[in-house]
Amino acid sequence: MSGSIVPFTCHDRLPVPAGPARFDEPTLYVNAARLDLSVALAAEDHRTPAGPKAVPVTEPPGGAAAL
């Protein structure tokens, strides 16, 4: 089964979560629903229209209690 997590939403009430480290990178690489194809997107070109919200996507060493 192929698929991907798209970096945009088509619904104004559906947030776009992003790991905090994503905001440190100049380029975002997105799987294009194929294992052999990705799309490179300038970080600002994603941030402006999508308005991603920084949320932790991994736990720090020591687990969630360390948050």
Side-chain angles (χ1 to χ4, degrees):
M1 173 185 294
S2 65
S4 64
I5 300 173
V6 295
F8 298 97
T9 179
C10 295
H11 194 289
D12 59 350
R13 291 180 17 197
L14 182 64
V16 178
R22 174 258 171 270
F23 298 100
D24 298 335
E25 300 298 326
T27 306
L28 175 66
Y29 296 93
V30 181
N31 176 280
R34 291 176 42 179
L35 296 177
D36 63 339
L37 182 63
S38 293
V39 175
L41 181 65
E44 280 305 310
D45 290 343
H46 176 246
R47 185 177 295 181
T48 303
K53 178 182 176 187
V55 295
V57 293
T58 62
E59 289 185 5
L67 292 174

